[in-house]
Amino acid sequence: MITNTSIRKKRFYLAFLLLFLGLHLQANLPHPTLLLTKKGVKEIKSSQKKAPLFRQTVENAKQEIDIVLTKPMEVPLPKDAGGGYTHEVHKKNYMDMLNAGLVYQITGDKKYAGYAKEMLLRYAEMYPKLGLHPVQKSNYRGKLFWQGLNECVWLVHVSQAYDCVYDYLTEAERKHIEKNLFYPMCDFIARENISAFNKIHNHGTWAVAAVGMIGYVMGDKDLTGKALYGYNKDRKGGFLSQIEQLFSPDGYFTEGPYYQRYALQPFVMFAQVVENNQPELKIFEYNDGMILKAVDVEFQLMEPDGQIFYLNDALDKTWHTAELVYALNVAYNMQPHKKDLLDIARKQNRVILSEAGLRVAKDLHKGETKPYIRKTMLLRDGAKGEDGAIAVLRAGNKDETAAVMKYTSHGLSHGHYDKLSITFYDNYHEIIKDYGAARFLNIEPKNGGHYLPENNTFAMQTVAHNTLVVDETSHFKGNIRISEKYSPEHLFFKNTDRIKVAGAEDTNAYPGTVMNRKIALISDERLEYPVLADVFTVKSEEKHQFDLPFYFMGQLISTNFEYEAHTSQRHTFGTRYGYQHLWVEAMGKTEKPAACLTFLNGNRFYSITSLVNPDTELFINRIGANDPEFNLKNNPCFILRDKNLSERTYVNIVEPHGEFNPVLEYTNAPCSNIQSVKLIENSQSKAIVEITLKSGETVKAEIGK
Amino acid sequence: MITNTSIRKKRFYLAFLLLFLGLHLQANLPHPTLLLTKKGVKEIKSSQKKAPLFRQTVENAKQEIDIVLTKPMEVPLPKDAGGGYTHEVHKKNYMDMLNAGLVYQITGDKKYAGYAKEMLLRYAEMYPKLGLHPVQKSNYRGKLFWQGLNECVWLVHVSQAYDCVYDYLTEAERKHIEKNLFYPMCDFIARENISAFNKIHNHGTWAVAAVGMIGYVMGDKDLTGKALYGYNKDRKGGFLSQIEQLFSPDGYFTEGPYYQRYALQPFVMFAQVVENNQPELKIFEYNDGMILKAVDVEFQLMEPDGQIFYLNDALDKTWHTAELVYALNVAYNMQPHKKDLLDIARKQNRVILSEAGLRVAKDLHKGETKPYIRKTMLLRDGAKGEDGAIAVLRAGNKDETAAVMKYTSHGLSHGHYDKLSITFYDNYHEIIKDYGAARFLNIEPKNGGHYLPENNTFAMQTVAHNTLVVDETSHFKGNIRISEKYSPEHLFFKNTDRIKVAGAEDTNAYPGTVMNRKIALISDERLEYPVLADVFTVKSEEKHQFDLPFYFMGQLISTNFEYEAHTSQRHTFGTRYGYQHLWVEAMGKTEKPAACLTFLNGNRFYSITSLVNPDTELFINRIGANDPEFNLKNNPCFILRDKNLSERTYVNIVEPHGEFNPVLEYTNAPCSNIQSVKLIENSQSKAIVEITLKSGETVKAEIGK
């Protein structure tokens, strides 16, 4: 809501003018002053010998920038969208300027400062002449980039580069650059796009960080005030409001861990900058230490090799990304007692070039690392923690067996229709997987590197997830406006040595239908490995068709049921809500009480044992139909289908077993160890499942409070 | 051919009797005397401190056998086929006995010897009562195992175990075990199965090694003589004849590298035993040092991560397998100047428990390792080197770019109909792949762990390979009797810094049709990475349909041609010769002179640029049709099809390019760097290809002598 625009515009220009005239007053500010500080540079010079990883990172940065220095500098007129040529050049330029600035500060070699200066002048030359970016795909266009967001990211980096070479520049050069580049850019980001700047959204965080960081460099308190308290400094926007509202009380970001990673970077960077410049604000303690809590949560929402959980729109990203190096370094710098963070730092194998990175590298070198422990945890969603949750159950074994149930709110525009869906991990592999997003990030020939059409038509749809679909229709009929109003009810969560459980219930995804899922990760000495017990009850006033998919990863080894395979002709599973993207490869039924499907992943076998009715249809499907551009991954899927029922309780056991050892040429237990499964009791908040093993032993699991 | 069976039988029993009576004469033989010797044990005891990897391997063996010692011993009546219970127990037993024997020798702890003794006595108890194995799937049945081959492997291991505990046993125990177990087993292997014993085949090698090794332990020169010179010691069989005939002059084993690995083990083991007991035979120098040459070739026929090339019937096996640890250790022990072998030993990370293993571990610890270099090499096939060849072209770059062309003879029963087929590797990935075998080794639910029906119906067929299929019919109509009579003609092979080339021609796979393939691996500074240029000319007296497949590994990114995708219905590519196992996913054509298909593998893009006619049909297919048991891997395939032609020259460039970096979030060159391709000249033994790059530069390649 913009009111009194003309007054504000005047105020902004007034501030600008005062600042511009009074620049010499700021000349005695110490520089650098952002993530890397003057004090930090001293420390680095005196003690980097004791921090080999820091030196290695400096060396790498130097090697990179040395190559850049041999090539002609390019500052092209903006033309291309994400992944395109000018887009990539402007991205590379901000990294190059930042590298040059940092390497200048650490080595003192002026050729690096000279490079950054030259490029800053080139941008200062071009920027005033730019209109909006010619690509009109975004509501929030930038000038250098097709998205305003990228413009902010550019400034977050370039403000640091400028900070590093500030003292190297003459006053006249600084004036010139600030007048032609940074002030117009701040005006564009903060005033012209005030709704994005003031929005409580991760795009807003980048905007305030950008304006705040260049504000600190230029010593402009008006800009830093806007950044912290909102454009009108009324707390209706700005960094502090974002810290209050963007994460749940447990530190979960509603879009999911893939975007939490991205959202964290401006929080972490800007918080460190605020801490360095206004320590009295105690920014890291703000809102119950929210920023550090959110960093902690992010590293927990990963597979043991560092892959971020595929939930909502998520791609292949690990803790190796730059933003998570920043997050880890800053978090450790603020909490140097958390020695387990060094375990991740060791795997990241690089640090940021600041005091924080120096500290990480020094302590790594001192051998202070402790093993990083992934924990069983409940993460509530919503600013008040009332919008459902993600339950992460971890067996705590060396194979890192884990199960995740997601029953959060929709998750904004990157959310999926995936209420109560589960995933399962074991032995450093994804066993029951969420598809994540359909996108080839930055690969131009794939829709310009953007989300692909199949992200909407398949990846977001309910049938792409390991949860129930009623009548071949996605939750909330795939309508985000409705979906974002609701989240499932949290029922219970318990963490004991032997069993970890979680339960939740949804009554909104399909009006008139109650879906209740209770899961348990059971570690029992009678079991070869921990197993996942999954009790999914659906009840409705009317009769429906139910589909419960399991996207299993691996090569199908055997089934205990007969099926008809579609071996020479193939058809799709349906026509809409993602069904059109599934090929039916086979369909079977069984008179046995439980169907069992076994597959091989890595060197271990996995069986899904499912209680079935004689009429339950057992589909073996594969992703890939209606995909003319070959955009989808052709993963297989096991789907249980029941027709014409008003109630059904699905009991599934996901069980790792045996070993396939091609090196030593032996195989153990390629068939399930389970003889039978019994549901002894089932109410809203409690189920009791009894698993009888082929050894004759039984394992009982109480899944409830 | 058995003649005079009764005389031989008498002779055998006579020898047996003499031996049995004269056993006490042998009592002063030093034991152990096979791979591990009495002298070796002394060395180990005095110097294993300087060989940490050796000590680690001993420790691992000890830990394993310590667990075994806590469990009840089982020597079950033979019942199951490969992968089944009794099969696995008897396999495990020979390993356990061998481990127990070795650990006893190294530690001196008698409990290990006691365990081996006890089990030997149990076998001596059972063996005389056994008839042929109840499973009747093999022409060469064993007694403990369904295949006689496994029986020999058992004896190769158990003879070593017996050797280790020989001095621990009383004379009476030895007599009992030899009389009831080893002599009957030798009689069974050598006399009752004389044709297998005398056959020049790797099964024969296991047989002679088994009989020879137990012969040395028992000091029975008749047995060792039979092993070395054939059952009748007339050199019509036996170890020396096998060394002469089983490998080509270049050290290539006709079944291909997967089976070369397996075939090598008895050669390597028994040769070391012969060397230790009859050094005067200079067995490692025999036939131009054939055994060591064959070991050398085996390690060259691998991908850089140690995966053996998928050629003929081949599965996932690497240099980590036991047989290749033996091969490497023995080879290094005989050639300790080859320090590059230590590089592989380091990756194997274990050694054999003998002098050879000790030496490897010591020299590793001394830091003598040199980098292992994979070489460009031509390996002729056939005992005289006249039956075609395998050409391995390696760019010698850090990405280990390599191309392989196979134009060998059929390769016995594990051979495929794959004349002139190629594979391509880059950046530690398989880029253009040979399917290898359809089999899940040792996985009981998959056809008992044996070869699957799809091995015959798909994996062996020509269309499963990267080579030309005429009229949808496999080479030699898939008839092994005909195929094994012929091999392609070698035309040329040349290895220069800039370009490595090979060429071959086949005139027999399709009577009346000449197929000529010339390939080049080109490293040129104008190219981003080395590329493969492939010129395949087919000429016939009559008009035919030609299909040239490329099994590309990766996600399809883009094509420069339009196609019709089969998005909601799918049909098979054909009905026989493997075509029934391919789904047609899309078919296109183009008026452009060259079709281009780009895919992503790892963090690099690859394009196949193919000169085409406007009528050339461009298929994008996928393996997996008519596969009701889900036995096949669903890899994609690009196939060029021309109909109704009597002559066609296919020119294809396989080109790595660009980079996809999801961590640093950038992408370079996702499209081919090639503007156009021209075939300037093409004769039987020479082609000239000109590649014009988008940069405007041209790269010319002369593919000939």
Side-chain angles (χ1 to χ4, degrees):
Chain A
M1 293 171 294
I2 306 177
T3 54
N4 272 336
T5 312
S6 65
I7 294 175
R8 283 198 188 146
K9 199 165 173 178
K10 275 181 201 157
R11 269 208 246 149
F12 191 92
Y13 273 121
L14 189 66
F16 177 86
L17 195 69
L18 282 170
L19 208 277
F20 184 58
L21 294 170
L23 249 185
H24 63 283
L25 295 174
Q26 311 284 349
N28 59 346
L29 272 176
H31 288 98
T33 188
L34 294 181
L35 283 137
L36 180 67
T37 64
K38 197 159 188 169
K39 178 170 153 277
V41 172
K42 246 191 212 167
E43 261 179 61
I44 288 166
K45 285 184 175 163
S46 71
S47 66
Q48 63 169 314
K49 265 180 237 158
K50 293 174 203 154
L53 185 57
F54 190 92
R55 278 165 64 203
Q56 188 53 53
T57 310
V58 173
E59 195 44 47
N60 294 347
K62 200 172 153 296
Q63 275 172 21
E64 272 176 40
I65 193 69
D66 282 344
I67 293 169
V68 169
L69 261 55
T70 64
K71 295 191 174 163
M73 185 181 288
E74 279 191 281
V75 179
L77 272 179
K79 180 171 151 265
D80 303 320
Y85 182 73
T86 68
H87 180 93
E88 293 300 319
V89 171
H90 289 300
K91 270 174 69 179
K92 191 172 176 316
N93 280 351
Y94 72 62
M95 286 308 304
D96 290 346
M97 275 189 273
L98 176 55
N99 263 345
L102 293 169
V103 173
Y104 163 65
Q105 280 293 337
I106 294 167
T107 66
D109 188 335
K110 289 186 178 169
K111 73 177 172 201
Y112 302 111
Y115 183 82
K117 168 183 137 177
E118 167 73 16
M119 195 179 275
L120 284 167
L121 290 170
R122 297 271 294 268
Y123 274 101
E125 164 92 24
M126 181 175 77
Y127 200 80
K129 299 171 197 158
L130 295 180
L132 284 179
H133 193 278
V135 172
Q136 306 191 19
K137 280 193 191 178
S138 167
N139 305 329
Y140 174 27
R141 279 152 77 193
K143 289 182 165 185
L144 293 174
F145 296 96
W146 70 285
Q147 281 196 113
L149 172 63
N150 297 97
E151 202 100 346
C152 301
V153 175
W154 189 93
L155 183 53
V156 161
H157 290 83
V158 176
S159 60
Q160 296 177 68
Y162 180 60
D163 188 30
C164 286
V165 300
Y166 193 93
D167 288 342
Y168 170 84
L169 299 169
T170 65
E171 196 181 313
E173 285 163 352
R174 290 199 294 261
K175 267 189 200 172
H176 177 73
I177 291 167
E178 293 183 4
K179 177 185 164 195
N180 291 289
L181 179 58
F182 293 130
Y183 275 103
M185 195 176 258
C186 284
D187 187 45
F188 176 72
I189 291 172
R191 191 186 54 76
E192 286 191 43
N193 288 285
I194 185 169
S195 71
F197 183 82
N198 261 4
K199 199 172 174 184
I200 305 300
H201 181 279
N202 72 316
H203 290 193
T205 319
W206 281 103
V208 302
V211 168
M213 284 165 78
I214 194 67
Y216 282 116
V217 182
M218 302 192 302
D220 183 331
K221 289 194 177 154
D222 179 59
L223 290 183
T224 56
K226 284 179 158 50
L228 289 168
Y229 308 111
Y231 189 80
N232 297 314
K233 300 178 192 160
D234 54 5
R235 296 210 167 208
K236 287 198 177 144
F239 195 52
L240 295 185
S241 299
Q242 299 198 343
I243 297 176
E244 280 163 17
Q245 294 174 53
L246 262 180
F247 299 93
S248 84
D250 294 329
Y252 177 75
F253 177 62
T254 191
E255 292 189 349
Y258 181 82
Y259 278 95
Q260 179 150 352
R261 161 199 59 83
Y262 188 65
L264 274 174
Q265 189 169 20
F267 276 101
V268 160
M269 286 176 133
F270 192 46
Q272 182 72 68
V273 168
V274 174
E275 176 73 14
N276 289 346
N277 289 276
Q278 295 187 261
E280 68 281 7
L281 291 181
K282 299 196 178 185
I283 196 80
F284 282 108
E285 291 170 31
Y286 193 70
N287 191 23
D288 197 22
M290 183 52 73
I291 291 175
L292 296 173
K293 199 190 285 184
V295 170
D296 194 44
V297 162
E298 176 65 13
F299 285 105
Q300 288 288 341
L301 292 177
M302 287 181 181
E303 303 175 22
D305 65 353
Q307 168 64 47
I308 296 166
F309 282 151
Y310 293 93
L311 297 171
N312 289 337
D313 280 349
L315 298 164
D316 303 348
K317 290 264 185 200
T318 67
W319 53 34
H320 289 287
T321 56
E323 50 272 29
L324 291 178
V325 176
Y326 274 101
L328 189 114
N329 286 201
V330 169
Y332 181 74
N333 193 36
M334 296 307 299
Q335 310 159 99
H337 60 284
K338 291 200 169 177
K339 299 299 177 196
D340 59 336
L341 292 176
L342 296 175
D343 195 10
I344 294 173
R346 196 171 49 85
K347 282 160 189 157
Q348 290 177 330
N349 201 31
R350 57 181 173 139
V351 291
I352 60 174
L353 297 180
S354 74
E355 293 93 301
L358 182 70
R359 175 170 249 166
V360 168
K362 270 185 183 172
D363 291 356
L364 264 176
H365 187 57
K366 280 192 236 161
E368 295 183 355
T369 307
K370 287 193 179 156
Y372 183 74
I373 307 290
R374 271 161 284 272
K375 289 176 283 198
T376 291
M377 59 205 306
L378 180 74
L379 299 169
R380 290 167 296 159
D381 188 16
K384 295 182 181 168
E386 293 169 348
D387 302 338
I390 280 191
V392 182
L393 314 183
R394 297 198 183 264
N397 54 348
K398 75 166 177 40
D399 293 329
E400 296 273 9
T401 313
V404 176
M405 176 156 64
K406 181 168 178 282
Y407 48 100
T408 62
S409 64
H410 189 77
L412 308 183
S413 63
H414 293 298
H416 287 193
Y417 301 95
D418 62 354
K419 299 295 172 235
L420 308 181
S421 87
I422 58 168
T423 50
F424 183 71
Y425 309 86
D426 181 63
N427 198 24
Y428 285 67
H429 290 284
E430 296 151 356
I431 305 305
I432 305 289
K433 190 174 183 292
D434 188 300
Y435 190 87
R439 180 182 189 183
F440 292 87
L441 187 65
N442 291 323
I443 299 186
E444 234 289 327
K446 287 290 193 193
N447 193 31
H450 307 301
Y451 285 99
L452 295 160
E454 291 76 14
N455 196 54
N456 284 311
T457 59
F458 180 70
M460 280 186 169
Q461 301 301 320
T462 307
V463 77
H465 301 83
N466 304 296
T467 190
L468 195 86
V469 191
V470 177
D471 295 337
E472 301 185 34
T473 305
S474 284
H475 297 166
F476 306 101
K477 294 187 177 159
N479 185 329
I480 186 171
R481 297 283 154 250
I482 305 174
S483 180
E484 63 189 2
K485 290 184 191 160
Y486 302 104
S487 50
E489 183 191 351
H490 170 73
L491 296 175
F492 58 85
F493 175 79
K494 202 172 65 180
N495 177 8
T496 69
D497 276 358
R498 181 179 167 270
I499 187 168
K500 332 275 177 189
V501 298
E505 189 164 285
D506 184 275
T507 54
N508 299 298
Y510 299 108
T513 298
V514 178
M515 299 190 291
N516 175 300
R517 192 168 211 167
K518 300 184 279 287
I519 65 167
L521 188 63
I522 310 161
S523 305
D524 188 295
E525 56 185 8
R526 284 158 291 192
L527 297 167
E528 189 179 0
Y529 298 108
V531 305
L532 171 67
D534 168 30
V535 180
F536 197 129
T537 300
V538 54
K539 280 186 204 179
S540 186
E541 291 141 16
E542 288 167 25
K543 293 193 173 181
H544 296 284
Q545 175 184 292
F546 303 128
D547 288 333
L548 184 60
F550 289 91
Y551 285 87
F552 67 94
M553 302 300 287
Q555 176 82 34
L556 199 151
I557 294 295
S558 63
T559 64
N560 78 338
F561 55 87
E562 302 281 312
Y563 55 75
E564 190 198 346
H566 297 272
T567 54
S568 57
Q569 282 267 323
R570 200 163 265 190
H571 60 87
T572 65
F573 196 42
T575 56
R576 52 188 197 146
Y577 288 117
Y579 280 69
Q580 72 276 25
H581 291 295
L582 289 169
W583 293 114
V584 177
E585 295 199 326
M587 199 274 274
K589 292 185 183 185
T590 181
E591 295 289 326
K592 294 172 190 158
C596 179
L597 178 142
T598 300
F599 55 100
L600 177 68
N601 183 327
N603 62 351
R604 192 167 290 176
F605 298 95
Y606 296 87
S607 287
I608 304 173
T609 299
S610 310
L611 292 190
V612 292
N613 302 321
D615 286 337
T616 304
E617 294 175 349
L618 307 165
F619 284 90
I620 302 172
N621 288 353
R622 190 173 289 276
I623 301 168
N626 281 297
D627 178 26
E629 306 283 331
F630 298 89
N631 288 337
L632 291 169
K633 287 173 231 156
N634 306 120
N635 299 336
C637 180
F638 177 47
I639 302 190
L640 303 162
R641 168 172 285 182
D642 287 278
K643 289 174 174 164
N644 214 24
L645 289 183
S646 58
E647 183 173 342
R648 167 81 157 97
T649 292
Y650 292 90
V651 179
N652 294 286
I653 311 295
V654 182
E655 170 209 8
H657 56 89
E659 182 182 1
F660 169 58
N661 192 322
V663 169
L664 302 183
E665 293 209 6
Y666 67 80
T667 297
N668 289 330
C671 300
S672 168
N673 296 319
I674 294 175
Q675 182 65 45
S676 65
V677 177
K678 224 158 106 184
L679 182 66
I680 291 181
E681 190 187 312
N682 188 29
S683 64
Q684 189 197 32
S685 289
K686 184 171 155 190
I688 299 179
V689 172
E690 189 182 81
I691 302 168
T692 303
L693 301 172
K694 286 181 180 156
S695 65
E697 294 175 302
T698 62
V699 174
K700 214 184 249 189
E702 208 176 297
I703 315 176
K705 276 178 205 174
Chain B
M1 294 170 294
I2 305 176
T3 54
N4 273 336
T5 312
S6 65
I7 294 175
R8 281 194 191 149
K9 201 164 172 176
K10 275 181 203 156
R11 268 207 247 149
F12 190 91
Y13 273 121
L14 189 63
F16 176 86
L17 195 68
L18 283 171
L19 209 276
F20 185 58
L21 293 171
L23 250 185
H24 65 281
L25 295 175
Q26 311 283 348
N28 60 347
L29 272 175
H31 288 97
T33 188
L34 295 180
L35 283 137
L36 179 67
T37 65
K38 197 159 187 166
K39 179 169 152 276
V41 173
K42 246 192 213 166
E43 261 179 61
I44 289 167
K45 286 184 175 163
S46 70
S47 66
Q48 62 170 316
K49 265 182 239 159
K50 293 175 201 152
L53 185 58
F54 189 90
R55 278 165 64 204
Q56 188 54 52
T57 311
V58 172
E59 195 46 45
N60 293 347
K62 200 173 152 298
Q63 275 172 20
E64 272 176 41
I65 193 70
D66 282 343
I67 293 169
V68 169
L69 260 54
T70 65
K71 295 192 176 165
M73 186 181 287
E74 279 191 282
V75 180
L77 272 180
K79 179 172 152 264
D80 303 321
Y85 183 74
T86 68
H87 181 93
E88 294 300 320
V89 170
H90 289 301
K91 270 173 71 180
K92 190 170 177 316
N93 281 350
Y94 73 62
M95 286 309 303
D96 289 346
M97 275 189 274
L98 176 54
N99 263 346
L102 293 169
V103 173
Y104 163 65
Q105 280 294 335
I106 294 167
T107 66
D109 189 334
K110 288 185 179 171
K111 74 177 174 202
Y112 302 110
Y115 183 83
K117 168 184 139 177
E118 167 73 16
M119 195 179 274
L120 285 166
L121 290 170
R122 296 272 292 268
Y123 273 102
E125 163 92 24
M126 180 175 77
Y127 200 79
K129 299 171 197 159
L130 295 180
L132 285 179
H133 192 279
V135 173
Q136 306 191 18
K137 280 192 190 177
S138 167
N139 305 328
Y140 174 26
R141 279 151 78 193
K143 289 181 165 185
L144 293 174
F145 295 95
W146 70 286
Q147 280 196 113
L149 172 61
N150 297 96
E151 202 99 345
C152 300
V153 175
W154 189 94
L155 184 53
V156 161
H157 290 83
V158 176
S159 60
Q160 295 176 68
Y162 181 59
D163 187 30
C164 286
V165 300
Y166 193 92
D167 289 342
Y168 170 84
L169 299 169
T170 66
E171 197 180 315
E173 285 162 351
R174 290 198 295 260
K175 266 190 202 171
H176 176 75
I177 292 166
E178 293 183 4
K179 179 185 162 195
N180 290 289
L181 179 58
F182 293 130
Y183 274 105
M185 197 177 256
C186 284
D187 187 45
F188 177 72
I189 292 171
R191 191 187 53 81
E192 285 190 45
N193 287 286
I194 186 169
S195 72
F197 184 83
N198 261 3
K199 199 173 176 186
I200 305 300
H201 182 279
N202 70 316
H203 291 192
T205 318
W206 281 103
V208 302
V211 169
M213 283 164 78
I214 195 67
Y216 282 117
V217 183
M218 303 192 300
D220 183 331
K221 287 195 178 152
D222 180 58
L223 290 182
T224 55
K226 283 178 158 50
L228 289 168
Y229 307 112
Y231 189 80
N232 298 314
K233 299 176 193 160
D234 54 5
R235 298 211 165 207
K236 285 196 176 145
F239 196 53
L240 295 184
S241 299
Q242 299 198 343
I243 298 176
E244 279 163 18
Q245 293 174 53
L246 262 180
F247 298 94
S248 84
D250 294 329
Y252 177 75
F253 177 61
T254 192
E255 292 189 351
Y258 181 82
Y259 277 96
Q260 179 150 351
R261 160 199 59 82
Y262 188 65
L264 273 173
Q265 189 169 20
F267 276 101
V268 161
M269 285 175 132
F270 192 47
Q272 182 70 67
V273 168
V274 173
E275 176 74 14
N276 288 346
N277 289 277
Q278 295 188 262
E280 69 280 7
L281 291 181
K282 300 197 173 173
I283 196 79
F284 282 107
E285 289 171 33
Y286 194 71
N287 191 23
D288 197 22
M290 183 52 73
I291 291 175
L292 296 173
K293 200 190 285 182
V295 170
D296 193 45
V297 162
E298 177 65 14
F299 285 105
Q300 287 288 340
L301 293 178
M302 286 180 182
E303 303 176 20
D305 65 354
Q307 168 64 46
I308 296 166
F309 282 151
Y310 293 92
L311 298 171
N312 290 337
D313 280 348
L315 298 165
D316 303 349
K317 290 264 186 200
T318 67
W319 52 35
H320 289 287
T321 57
E323 51 272 29
L324 292 177
V325 176
Y326 274 101
L328 189 114
N329 286 200
V330 169
Y332 182 73
N333 193 36
M334 296 307 299
Q335 309 159 99
H337 60 283
K338 291 201 168 176
K339 300 299 178 196
D340 59 336
L341 292 176
L342 296 174
D343 196 9
I344 294 173
R346 194 170 50 83
K347 283 161 188 154
Q348 291 177 330
N349 201 31
R350 55 179 175 143
V351 292
I352 60 174
L353 297 181
S354 76
E355 294 94 300
L358 182 70
R359 175 170 248 165
V360 168
K362 271 185 183 172
D363 291 356
L364 264 176
H365 187 58
K366 280 192 235 162
E368 296 183 352
T369 308
K370 287 194 178 157
Y372 183 75
I373 307 289
R374 272 161 284 272
K375 287 176 283 197
T376 292
M377 60 203 308
L378 180 73
L379 300 169
R380 290 166 297 160
D381 187 16
K384 295 183 179 166
E386 291 169 348
D387 303 336
I390 280 191
V392 182
L393 313 182
R394 297 200 184 261
N397 54 347
K398 75 166 175 42
D399 293 329
E400 297 273 7
T401 314
V404 176
M405 176 155 66
K406 179 166 179 283
Y407 48 100
T408 62
S409 65
H410 188 77
L412 308 182
S413 62
H414 294 297
H416 287 193
Y417 301 94
D418 63 353
K419 300 292 173 236
L420 307 181
S421 87
I422 58 169
T423 50
F424 184 70
Y425 309 86
D426 181 62
N427 197 25
Y428 285 68
H429 291 283
E430 295 151 356
I431 306 305
I432 305 288
K433 190 174 184 289
D434 188 300
Y435 190 86
R439 180 182 190 183
F440 293 87
L441 187 64
N442 292 324
I443 299 186
E444 233 289 326
K446 286 290 193 194
N447 193 31
H450 306 301
Y451 285 99
L452 295 160
E454 291 77 12
N455 197 53
N456 283 313
T457 58
F458 180 70
M460 281 186 166
Q461 300 301 320
T462 306
V463 78
H465 301 82
N466 304 296
T467 189
L468 197 85
V469 191
V470 177
D471 296 336
E472 301 185 33
T473 305
S474 283
H475 297 165
F476 306 101
K477 293 186 177 160
N479 184 330
I480 186 172
R481 299 283 153 251
I482 305 173
S483 180
E484 62 189 2
K485 289 185 191 159
Y486 302 104
S487 50
E489 183 190 352
H490 170 74
L491 296 175
F492 59 84
F493 174 80
K494 203 171 65 179
N495 176 7
T496 68
D497 276 356
R498 182 179 168 272
I499 187 168
K500 333 278 177 186
V501 298
E505 190 165 284
D506 183 275
T507 53
N508 299 298
Y510 299 107
T513 298
V514 179
M515 298 190 292
N516 175 300
R517 192 169 213 167
K518 301 183 278 289
I519 65 167
L521 187 63
I522 310 160
S523 305
D524 189 293
E525 59 186 13
R526 284 158 292 192
L527 296 168
E528 189 180 0
Y529 298 108
V531 305
L532 171 67
D534 167 31
V535 180
F536 197 129
T537 300
V538 53
K539 281 186 203 178
S540 185
E541 291 141 16
E542 288 167 25
K543 293 190 172 180
H544 295 285
Q545 175 184 293
F546 304 127
D547 289 332
L548 184 59
F550 289 91
Y551 284 86
F552 66 93
M553 302 300 286
Q555 176 82 33
L556 199 151
I557 294 295
S558 63
T559 65
N560 78 338
F561 55 88
E562 303 281 312
Y563 53 75
E564 191 199 346
H566 298 271
T567 54
S568 56
Q569 281 267 325
R570 201 162 263 190
H571 60 87
T572 66
F573 196 43
T575 57
R576 50 186 202 147
Y577 289 117
Y579 280 69
Q580 72 277 23
H581 291 293
L582 289 168
W583 292 114
V584 177
E585 295 199 326
M587 199 275 274
K589 293 185 180 183
T590 180
E591 296 288 327
K592 294 171 188 159
C596 179
L597 178 143
T598 300
F599 55 100
L600 177 68
N601 183 326
N603 62 351
R604 193 167 287 175
F605 298 94
Y606 296 87
S607 288
I608 304 174
T609 300
S610 310
L611 292 189
V612 292
N613 302 321
D615 286 337
T616 303
E617 294 175 350
L618 306 165
F619 284 90
I620 302 173
N621 288 353
R622 189 174 290 275
I623 301 169
N626 281 296
D627 177 25
E629 307 283 330
F630 299 89
N631 288 337
L632 292 169
K633 288 172 231 156
N634 305 120
N635 299 336
C637 179
F638 176 48
I639 302 190
L640 304 161
R641 168 172 284 183
D642 288 277
K643 290 173 173 165
N644 214 22
L645 290 183
S646 59
E647 183 173 343
R648 168 81 157 96
T649 292
Y650 292 89
V651 179
N652 294 286
I653 311 295
V654 182
E655 170 209 8
H657 56 87
E659 182 183 0
F660 169 58
N661 191 322
V663 170
L664 301 183
E665 293 210 6
Y666 66 81
T667 296
N668 289 329
C671 300
S672 168
N673 296 319
I674 294 175
Q675 182 65 46
S676 64
V677 177
K678 223 158 108 184
L679 181 67
I680 291 179
E681 191 187 311
N682 187 29
S683 66
Q684 191 198 32
S685 290
K686 184 172 157 190
I688 300 179
V689 172
E690 189 182 83
I691 301 168
T692 303
L693 301 172
K694 285 180 180 157
S695 65
E697 294 175 303
T698 63
V699 175
K700 213 184 249 188
E702 209 177 296
I703 314 177
K705 274 176 205 174

